[in-house]
Amino acid sequence: MALKTASNQNKYENIEMLLLSATYDGFRKKAVLKFYEPKNKEIYLWHDKSDHKPYCLIGRDGIDSNFLDELKTKNKFGPGKILKIEKITKIDLLQDKKIELWKVIADNPLVIGGIDNSLRNLIKTWEADIKYYENYMYDNGLIPGIFYKIINNKIIPVEFNLSEQAQTILKQELNDNETELNEKIINWAKLLDQPLPEIKRVSLDIEVFSNEINKFPGADEAEYPIRSIAFVGSDNLKEVIIRKEKEHPIGKNTLEKDVRIKFVNEEKELLENTFEILRKYPCVITYNGDDFDLKYLHNRANKIGINKSNIPIQMGRIEANLKHGIHIDLYRTFINKSIQIYAFGNKYKEHTLNAVSSALIGKSKIEFEGSISELSDYELAKYNYNDALITYELTSFNDDLLMKLLLVISRIAKMPINDVSRLGVSNWIRSMLYFEHRTANALIPRKDDLKFEEEVISSATIKGKKYQGGMVFEPKSGIHFNVTVLDFASLYPSIIKVHNLSYETVRCNHKEDKQNIIKGTNHWLCKQRKGIASTLIGSLRDIRIKYYKQLPKMKGLSKNEQELYSVVSQALKVILNASYGALGAEMFPLYYLPVADATTAIGRNIIKETIEEAQRNDIEVIYGDTDSLFIKSIDNNKIEIMRNWADKKLEMELDLDKTYRYVAFSTLKKNYFGVMKDGTVDIKGFTGKKSHIPLFIKDAFYSAINELSLVETSKDFENAKNNIRIDIKKRNRLLKNEEIPLEKLAFNIMLSKPINMYTGTVPQHVRAAKLLNEDKKKGDIITFVKTIGGEGVKPLQLAKKQDIDKRKYEDLMKSTFDQLLDSLGYSFDEILGATKLEDLFWPKK
DNA sequence: ATCTGTGGCCACCAGC
DNA sequence: GCTGGTGGCCAC
């Protein structure tokens, strides 16, 4: 593609630059490509005003002739004009044939907002794509997050050669007969093995106070002047700019010496200094900057009359962005469930800066007495700086883990980092699948094209769910020594790959395929064509299992390489895991339940057949859940037999997951604990480990687990039992004597929706929340204790020791331990000996 | 405006 | 007191 630069064209020649994003400047009617050059830490902007006209494509793939006529007859086309109409040919995967469409290029992507309602509705039925940059990037062969250079005014991707180790592994692992898939896998390796550069960035945090008590300054009105702004940059920038106000004492500087504190008198000066800093960075990091910090800065700058062109912030509908770079609002990243669970192991629960930073980097906001608006200048600077610092550190800990993760996801999903950081996993997968369609010149189906009859779907085990899921087996309760856990690597993605599952292959249109029924379902499978989702998800699955799982085993890898591989592996895990779920989620644009239904059905068949095969080989299976089986053997030969069988008969990879010294199953599913050879304990599902349980119970539970981890042979259980008894008795005595601090008796339960949405039943944590004066929102964790009388609960802050309903805690202790002891063949009452717990609390007179 | 899935256990609520 | 339903957290 030919591009002209806004200025100083030569400086771009042959420099390796990372593509951050492509945006459309609707005002100037041109595309803006944002590049970053890591070596010199420079920002490059390309303004595309080439023959590729300012750009709008209506219709995701193009439009059919009916709609084209409609468009032409409408004289008025919003503020935009049709510039060019091109005939294009696409492949309709569902009908398995070619179709002709028209691609309309107009001079303003905002036309859709300007057209009349009848046309708007028509466009809606065509699912017009106003995400112009997706088309733009695809049309120009651009992938965000990878390196390009400009040679002779053309943007050329930088070629990276695969390392020798990589080539060796790919040669070993790839099947000779799957050429098409292999090509895809190699392409993934080339894409994902590109180096992950450090992205120069700065975090920003602002402090504003309203004059009125209890009124939080709103960013829309930006009514109050900003008092201070703090920055922490990847280039060691540490700075706080404070606007001096007469009423505040200057105070004493207790910040580290390398933090620069700059005083200014006017707000204008404060903002201009800030903008000058922002312009030096291609990436700015905030916590809630979309809704507050950047929005406030932008609106405030407008308000005090700073020229629009001198404000480097651009406000979008849902995000605040930099004109010259990207903005990552970490609040929106950490609220993403996939990031929370898969990338950060569910370490944090709430999504405030304080909650996330204390969980991930062990640092919290500065606490102080009284009102923040009364702090002295230096005290405020310290507070402000600390917020900016922890915001920055959330992107830098573990060697920039988060930034690297976002960059890798950006490469996989073909989505700019700023969008990756804001949008949910279904959007990543949408973007990835759309890109795949465009590359294959395939029509992206509309929701209406993907219809199915509800009767053909299996019925779910759980009421309220749409289809049947994984299979959980009854555990053989009791203690089992020497147990091996086998599990299928990426079961669902593997099924999608091996069984050719995709929206156009499950229940396909070919008559001759209708006999290829999936056992236990109504669905048949296409044997004539490869499904597009199957190939894509399959290739991702293969690159993870055949490549990134093997690479760390290679010798001689540098630390950087190891790190790259672990980050990529993590990102692949997140996306693979979600790709099956997205196909079964109604809001997903390529939602087609038969695929999800077929996936789990095949999964159930696979685990059932595997267990049968184990039994044929005299291997006792004591438990299984969805993709795993627990066998009572540590015999390597037997394990190898199973692995080979799975490989040959199922085309599935059955891995040795772990070996337990012993496992104890209760009679319940999803409830067990296992002790490994080195003494580490796995605890699954027990009430005692759940996060909402009071510490009083949890401490007792873990102390018992600790005793049990010391058990080597069956004889040791007696001893463990004794120790547990002594420990519980001690703890119960403390409870009885009111010597347990109230905090340790507190439950922590999250509001999953706004308080007023709890209609019908009112759960305890909601009752407690209502007793508080504070305004509790969705996502907040309510901390409360169980009390005698009243609502039966009180928020921790309002409770006193004499309120506590000790009997409730006694009951919980008993049920928690019964669940655990059940697996050992004991009961709580029995373990406590002749004295019943009740007698401890309420001795008979 | 945003949102990946089902299976399973527990405590509690609300109605009978 | 029983029971079906709700809500929360966890396993996979």
Side-chain angles (χ1 to χ4, degrees):
Chain A
M1 78 196 263
L3 291 177
K4 283 178 191 132
T5 61
S7 61
N8 195 6
Q9 195 170 325
N10 289 338
K11 125 179 161 182
Y12 293 78
E13 188 73 12
N14 210 1
I15 295 173
E16 294 185 1
M17 309 180 294
L18 189 76
L19 177 63
L20 292 176
S21 77
T23 54
Y24 194 89
D25 183 340
F27 189 68
R28 290 184 191 80
K29 294 183 182 173
K30 62 190 177 187
V32 180
L33 277 72
K34 299 171 179 176
F35 286 107
Y36 168 62
E37 195 237 314
K39 269 185 201 143
N40 295 308
K41 305 193 182 233
E42 277 200 63
I43 303 161
Y44 294 99
L45 291 183
W46 279 80
H47 300 276
D48 179 1
K49 22 181 196 181
S50 65
D51 58 344
H52 195 101
K53 290 286 181 206
Y55 181 94
C56 170
L57 172 67
I58 298 175
R60 186 185 297 145
D61 300 297
I63 56 180
D64 79 353
S65 45
N66 291 334
F67 188 29
L68 184 66
D69 291 343
E70 189 92 15
L71 266 187
K72 282 178 175 168
T73 55
K74 300 276 168 186
N75 223 357
K76 195 166 158 285
F77 190 53
K81 267 203 316 248
I82 295 178
L83 298 175
K84 198 156 78 179
I85 298 172
E86 283 171 38
K87 202 176 207 177
I88 50 173
T89 308
K90 292 263 176 182
I91 302 160
D92 183 342
L93 296 176
L94 287 163
Q95 302 303 324
D96 200 5
K97 63 179 185 199
K98 287 185 176 174
I99 57 162
E100 287 190 332
L101 293 171
W102 278 267
K103 177 174 169 181
V104 178
I105 292 174
D107 70 348
N108 192 328
L110 306 175
V111 287
I112 287 162
I115 58 185
D116 67 42
N117 272 337
S118 63
L119 198 52
R120 184 200 300 263
N121 287 336
L122 201 58
I123 288 177
K124 259 190 190 164
T125 65
W126 278 90
E127 298 203 8
D129 193 358
I130 54 171
K131 283 250 171 194
Y132 46 85
Y133 68 75
E134 273 184 15
N135 289 314
Y136 182 87
M137 284 198 173
Y138 171 66
D139 281 355
N140 294 290
L142 299 170
I143 296 174
I146 73 167
F147 286 91
Y148 293 92
K149 56 187 171 186
I150 281 118
I151 296 174
N152 293 332
N153 214 27
K154 286 210 161 61
I155 297 190
I156 316 278
V158 176
E159 289 278 342
F160 288 92
N161 292 326
L162 288 177
S163 67
E164 269 176 43
Q165 287 107 323
Q167 292 184 26
T168 316
I169 287 179
L170 287 171
K171 253 184 218 152
Q172 270 171 21
E173 297 284 332
L174 298 188
N175 279 338
D176 294 338
N177 47 11
E178 293 183 291
T179 44
E180 197 193 331
L181 191 66
N182 287 352
E183 200 187 311
K184 277 200 143 50
I185 295 170
I186 291 167
N187 282 341
W188 280 123
K190 283 183 180 167
L191 174 76
L192 298 176
D193 264 8
Q194 290 200 12
L196 292 174
E198 185 198 87
I199 297 178
K200 184 184 174 189
R201 59 197 185 277
V202 66
S203 70
L204 165 147
D205 184 65
I206 74 172
E207 299 296 341
V208 190
F209 308 107
S210 70
N211 302 326
E212 295 151 69
I213 301 161
N214 284 336
K215 194 177 169 194
F216 193 73
D220 286 318
E221 307 82 40
E223 201 177 333
Y224 308 99
I226 298 171
R227 196 172 147 207
S228 85
I229 304 182
F231 306 88
V232 174
S234 54
D235 53 355
N236 283 325
L237 175 80
K238 298 171 178 180
E239 184 162 336
V240 186
I241 311 177
I242 291 199
R243 186 176 51 82
K244 194 83 199 78
E245 276 179 345
K246 276 182 201 144
E247 63 263 41
H248 296 290
I250 187 156
K252 199 177 156 218
N253 187 357
T254 56
L255 273 163
E256 297 96 76
K257 283 196 179 107
D258 55 348
V259 182
R260 180 173 177 224
I261 300 189
K262 184 172 176 180
F263 287 94
V264 295
N265 290 318
E266 298 299 322
E267 195 185 13
K268 190 158 185 257
E269 204 185 340
L270 172 65
L271 296 190
E272 281 168 350
N273 274 295
T274 296
F275 295 157
E276 201 177 312
I277 292 174
L278 290 186
R279 272 189 277 268
K280 289 180 194 153
Y281 293 86
C283 178
V284 58
I285 312 286
T286 65
Y287 209 93
N288 204 24
D290 280 345
D291 278 341
F292 188 68
D293 301 62
L294 284 197
K295 197 181 194 180
Y296 203 104
L297 262 175
H298 175 268
N299 291 347
R300 192 69 197 163
N302 269 331
K303 200 161 194 155
I304 63 172
I306 295 182
N307 195 317
K308 257 198 158 60
S309 60
N310 291 331
I311 306 172
I313 299 161
Q314 205 164 29
M315 289 304 301
R317 255 185 323 133
I318 52 163
E319 68 174 283
N321 223 334
L322 291 181
K323 284 177 184 168
H324 61 280
I326 56 174
H327 164 220
I328 294 174
D329 181 347
L330 292 180
Y331 173 66
R332 305 197 44 183
T333 307
F334 285 116
I335 213 164
N336 181 321
K337 256 194 157 173
S338 288
I339 298 271
Q340 176 173 354
I341 295 173
Y342 290 104
F344 294 115
N346 223 351
K347 276 188 200 146
Y348 60 91
K349 305 280 176 215
E350 283 179 294
H351 304 117
T352 60
L353 174 60
N354 202 34
V356 174
S357 65
S358 19
L360 295 183
I361 54 175
K363 293 193 179 180
S364 25
K365 286 172 84 91
I366 293 177
E367 288 174 31
F368 52 84
E369 305 268 310
S371 163
I372 184 167
S373 59
E374 285 157 13
L375 292 181
S376 72
D377 287 334
Y378 276 121
E379 279 170 327
L380 181 69
K382 189 170 183 174
Y383 177 85
N384 194 184
Y385 171 74
N386 183 63
D387 276 5
L389 180 67
I390 55 183
T391 302
Y392 174 76
E393 285 186 358
L394 284 174
T395 70
S396 70
F397 79 101
N398 272 3
D399 279 314
D400 287 2
L401 172 67
L402 181 62
M403 294 302 293
K404 288 175 179 169
L405 206 53
L406 292 175
L407 194 53
V408 172
I409 294 169
S410 161
R411 290 172 180 177
I412 300 172
K414 319 288 188 268
M415 185 184 254
I417 295 186
N418 53 314
D419 279 352
V420 169
S421 73
R422 280 173 180 79
L423 299 172
V425 66
S426 67
N427 277 296
W428 305 346
I429 290 161
R430 174 190 55 79
S431 172
M432 181 176 83
L433 269 164
Y434 281 10
F435 183 89
E436 190 68 13
H437 278 78
R438 290 179 179 128
T439 313
N441 199 30
L443 188 69
I444 297 170
R446 299 167 303 203
K447 273 219 124 138
D448 286 355
D449 300 331
L450 298 175
K451 277 192 180 137
F452 58 91
E453 287 158 20
E454 276 171 37
E455 302 88 71
V456 306
I457 304 295
S458 65
S459 38
T461 310
I462 297 177
K463 214 186 130 206
K465 302 286 188 185
K466 290 173 297 197
Y467 62 97
Q468 200 179 346
M471 185 164 245
V472 191
F473 294 85
E474 291 285 344
K476 290 193 178 159
S477 70
I479 299 153
H480 306 269
F481 283 89
N482 296 330
V483 168
T484 303
V485 185
L486 302 174
D487 70 351
F488 287 100
S490 298
L491 178 70
Y492 288 165
S494 303
I495 290 172
I496 290 173
K497 176 201 159 189
V498 172
H499 294 262
N500 193 25
L501 304 189
S502 185
Y503 63 81
E504 81 275 28
T505 54
V506 178
R507 310 181 71 82
C508 66
N509 280 329
H510 307 113
K511 263 189 192 157
E512 52 274 42
D513 284 322
K514 295 205 174 174
Q515 56 195 354
N516 308 327
I517 296 286
I518 300 167
K519 212 182 355 171
T521 70
N522 287 309
H523 309 308
W524 62 89
L525 279 176
C526 187
K527 288 206 169 171
Q528 329 217 359
R529 292 178 297 139
K530 275 269 165 205
I532 189 164
S534 169
T535 319
L536 177 64
I537 296 170
S539 64
L540 272 176
R541 176 254 179 219
D542 280 359
I543 193 72
R544 171 164 153 78
I545 291 179
K546 296 188 175 179
Y547 186 62
Y548 286 101
K549 259 194 166 177
Q550 311 302 324
L551 266 170
K553 296 175 193 163
M554 301 294 281
K555 280 172 193 164
L557 291 180
S558 71
K559 197 174 164 261
N560 275 342
E561 284 171 322
Q562 285 175 19
E563 221 179 80
L564 170 67
Y565 297 143
S566 106
V567 173
V568 173
S569 194
Q570 220 164 324
L572 285 169
K573 191 171 98 187
V574 175
I575 290 206
L576 275 175
N577 212 295
S579 52
Y580 139 76
L583 292 166
E586 272 159 276
M587 33 71 59
F588 188 63
L590 298 175
Y591 169 66
Y592 186 59
L593 208 45
V595 174
D597 196 27
T599 310
T600 55
I602 295 170
R604 293 191 296 275
N605 293 339
I606 284 177
I607 194 81
K608 272 188 273 187
E609 283 166 32
T610 311
I611 288 178
E612 283 162 19
E613 177 64 18
Q615 283 158 352
R616 274 193 289 276
N617 286 295
D618 282 327
I619 301 170
E620 192 188 349
V621 178
I622 51 179
Y623 181 59
D625 183 347
T626 311
D627 63 353
S628 66
L629 52 159
F630 291 58
I631 59 173
K632 207 163 174 170
S633 165
I634 48 168
D635 181 347
N636 278 330
N637 290 330
K638 291 193 169 181
I639 293 165
E640 254 338 276
I641 289 173
M642 291 305 295
R643 285 170 56 98
N644 288 334
W645 173 83
D647 191 51
K648 223 169 141 193
K649 286 282 158 60
L650 304 172
E651 294 181 65
M652 291 282 153
E653 200 165 303
L654 186 61
D655 289 342
L656 192 164
D657 183 18
K658 49 194 156 193
T659 310
Y660 287 119
R661 188 197 295 161
Y662 75 93
V663 181
F665 286 111
S666 68
T667 51
L668 302 170
K669 295 170 174 178
K670 296 186 189 280
N671 271 273
Y672 63 88
F673 77 91
V675 180
M676 288 186 262
K677 277 185 188 137
D678 62 358
T680 34
V681 192
D682 269 350
I683 307 160
K684 301 288 180 177
F686 287 120
T687 303
K689 77 173 286 194
K690 294 197 175 180
S691 63
H692 67 284
I693 291 295
L695 275 178
F696 170 61
I697 307 289
K698 212 181 269 188
D699 288 346
F701 178 79
Y702 278 104
S703 140
I705 290 287
N706 189 40
E707 284 298 333
L708 291 169
S709 73
L710 303 173
V711 170
E712 303 253 1
T713 64
S714 14
K715 286 180 214 155
D716 302 333
F717 279 111
E718 241 352 84
N719 193 29
K721 196 168 96 174
N722 269 331
N723 289 342
I724 292 171
R725 180 212 326 272
I726 293 164
D727 187 65
I728 294 177
K729 282 195 170 178
K730 191 182 79 192
R731 289 171 193 273
N732 277 337
R733 207 167 302 121
L734 290 173
L735 176 68
K736 186 187 160 205
N737 297 337
E738 299 184 359
E739 286 169 44
I740 305 287
L742 277 183
E743 308 86 69
K744 293 216 166 195
L745 296 175
F747 290 80
N748 303 288
I749 298 185
M750 181 176 286
L751 288 170
S752 66
K753 50 188 179 185
I755 287 187
N756 58 12
M757 293 291 283
Y758 287 88
T759 50
T761 64
V762 185
Q764 288 191 317
H765 63 298
V766 179
R767 287 167 199 263
K770 282 181 176 170
L771 292 174
L772 280 168
N773 285 329
E774 303 160 47
D775 196 23
K776 289 290 180 185
K777 298 183 299 293
K778 176 184 168 179
D780 286 345
I781 290 176
I782 309 299
T783 302
F784 66 92
V785 295
K786 304 218 177 189
T787 58
I788 297 174
E791 294 275 5
V793 291
K794 267 190 187 177
L796 177 64
Q797 297 99 300
L798 305 181
K800 297 203 176 72
K801 279 201 170 166
Q802 55 269 30
D803 295 333
I804 296 298
D805 187 345
K806 291 176 197 163
R807 196 180 270 246
K808 285 277 186 222
Y809 289 90
E810 170 215 345
D811 287 348
L812 185 63
M813 185 73 101
K814 175 172 156 52
S815 66
T816 303
F817 272 83
D818 268 337
Q819 208 187 24
L820 176 67
L821 297 171
D822 179 40
S823 54
L824 304 172
Y826 306 137
S827 81
F828 187 73
D829 290 343
E830 175 200 332
I831 216 171
L832 283 196
T835 319
K836 284 191 183 144
L837 190 65
E838 265 201 354
D839 301 338
L840 279 174
F841 284 89
W842 296 273
K844 290 171 190 126
K845 282 171 191 166

